[in-house]
Coordinates of all heavy atoms in Angstrom, one line a residue:
I177 N 160.5 -9.3 -46.8 CA 160.0 -8.4 -45.9 C 158.8 -7.6 -46.5 O 158.6 -7.7 -47.7 CB 161.0 -7.3 -45.4 CG1 161.5 -6.5 -46.6 CG2 162.2 -8.0 -44.7 CD1 162.3 -5.3 -46.2
N178 N 158.0 -7.0 -45.6 CA 156.9 -6.2 -46.1 C 157.2 -4.7 -45.9 O 157.6 -4.3 -44.8 CB 155.6 -6.6 -45.4 CG 155.1 -8.0 -45.8 OD1 154.7 -8.1 -47.0 ND2 155.2 -8.9 -44.9
V179 N 157.0 -3.9 -46.9 CA 157.2 -2.5 -46.8 C 155.9 -1.8 -47.4 O 155.5 -2.1 -48.5 CB 158.4 -2.0 -47.7 CG1 158.5 -0.5 -47.6 CG2 159.7 -2.6 -47.2
A180 N 155.3 -1.0 -46.6 CA 154.0 -0.4 -46.9 C 153.0 -1.3 -47.5 O 152.3 -1.1 -48.4 CB 154.3 0.7 -48.0
G181 N 153.0 -2.5 -46.8 CA 152.0 -3.5 -47.2 C 152.3 -4.4 -48.4 O 151.5 -5.2 -48.8
K182 N 153.5 -4.2 -49.0 CA 153.9 -4.9 -50.2 C 155.0 -5.8 -49.9 O 155.9 -5.5 -49.1 CB 154.3 -3.9 -51.3 CG 153.1 -3.1 -51.8 CD 153.5 -2.2 -52.9 CE 152.4 -1.3 -53.4 NZ 152.8 -0.5 -54.6
R183 N 155.0 -7.0 -50.5 CA 156.0 -8.0 -50.3 C 157.3 -7.6 -51.1 O 157.2 -7.4 -52.3 CB 155.5 -9.4 -50.8 CG 156.6 -10.5 -50.6 CD 156.7 -10.9 -49.2 NE 157.6 -12.1 -49.1 CZ 158.2 -12.5 -48.0 NH1 157.8 -12.0 -46.9 NH2 158.9 -13.6 -48.0
I184 N 158.4 -7.5 -50.5 CA 159.7 -7.2 -51.1 C 160.6 -8.3 -51.0 O 161.0 -8.8 -49.9 CB 160.3 -5.9 -50.5 CG1 159.3 -4.7 -50.6 CG2 161.6 -5.6 -51.2 CD1 159.0 -4.3 -51.9
N186 N 163.5 -8.4 -53.2 CA 164.8 -7.8 -53.6 C 165.2 -6.8 -52.5 O 164.5 -5.8 -52.4 CB 164.8 -7.2 -54.9 CG 166.1 -6.6 -55.4 OD1 167.0 -6.5 -54.6 ND2 166.2 -6.2 -56.6
M187 N 166.2 -7.1 -51.7 CA 166.5 -6.2 -50.6 C 167.1 -4.9 -50.9 O 167.0 -3.9 -50.2 CB 167.4 -6.9 -49.6 CG 166.8 -8.1 -48.9 SD 165.4 -7.6 -47.9 CE 166.3 -6.8 -46.6
P189 N 166.3 -2.4 -53.2 CA 165.3 -1.3 -53.1 C 164.9 -1.0 -51.7 O 164.7 0.2 -51.3 CB 164.2 -1.8 -54.0 CG 164.7 -2.8 -54.9 CD 165.8 -3.5 -54.1
A190 N 164.7 -2.0 -50.9 CA 164.2 -1.8 -49.5 C 165.3 -1.0 -48.7 O 165.0 -0.1 -47.9 CB 164.0 -3.2 -48.8
M191 N 166.6 -1.4 -49.0 CA 167.7 -0.6 -48.3 C 167.7 0.8 -48.7 O 167.9 1.7 -47.9 CB 169.0 -1.3 -48.6 CG 169.2 -2.7 -48.0 SD 169.0 -2.7 -46.1 CE 167.3 -3.3 -46.0
H193 N 165.1 2.5 -49.7 CA 164.0 3.2 -49.0 C 164.3 3.6 -47.6 O 164.0 4.6 -47.1 CB 162.7 2.3 -49.0 CG 162.2 2.0 -50.4 ND1 162.2 3.0 -51.4 CD2 161.7 0.9 -50.9 CE1 161.7 2.4 -52.5 NE2 161.4 1.2 -52.2
L194 N 165.0 2.7 -46.9 CA 165.4 3.0 -45.5 C 166.3 4.2 -45.4 O 166.1 5.1 -44.6 CB 166.1 1.8 -44.8 CG 165.2 0.6 -44.5 CD1 166.0 -0.6 -44.1 CD2 164.2 0.9 -43.5
L197 N 164.2 7.3 -46.2 CA 163.4 7.7 -45.0 C 164.2 8.5 -44.0 O 163.7 9.5 -43.5 CB 162.8 6.4 -44.4 CG 161.6 5.8 -45.2 CD1 161.2 4.5 -44.6 CD2 160.4 6.7 -45.2
F210 N 155.5 10.1 -48.9 CA 156.7 9.3 -49.5 C 156.1 8.3 -50.4 O 155.4 7.4 -50.0 CB 157.5 8.7 -48.4 CG 158.7 8.0 -48.9 CD1 159.8 8.7 -49.4 CD2 158.8 6.6 -48.9 CE1 160.9 8.1 -49.9 CE2 159.9 5.9 -49.4 CZ 161.0 6.7 -49.9
D212 N 156.4 5.1 -52.0 CA 157.2 3.9 -51.7 C 157.0 2.8 -52.7 O 156.0 2.6 -53.3 CB 156.8 3.4 -50.3 CG 157.8 2.6 -49.6 OD1 158.9 2.5 -50.1 OD2 157.5 1.9 -48.6
C213 N 158.1 2.0 -52.8 CA 158.0 0.7 -53.6 C 157.6 0.9 -55.0 O 156.7 0.2 -55.5 CB 157.1 -0.3 -52.8 SG 157.7 -0.6 -51.2

Side-chain angles (χ1 to χ4, degrees):
I177 64 170
N178 288 294
V179 177
K182 295 183 180 182
R183 178 76 176 168
I184 302 296
N186 181 350
M187 291 299 290
M191 293 301 99
H193 295 322
L194 288 172
L197 284 172
F210 183 72
D212 199 11
C213 299

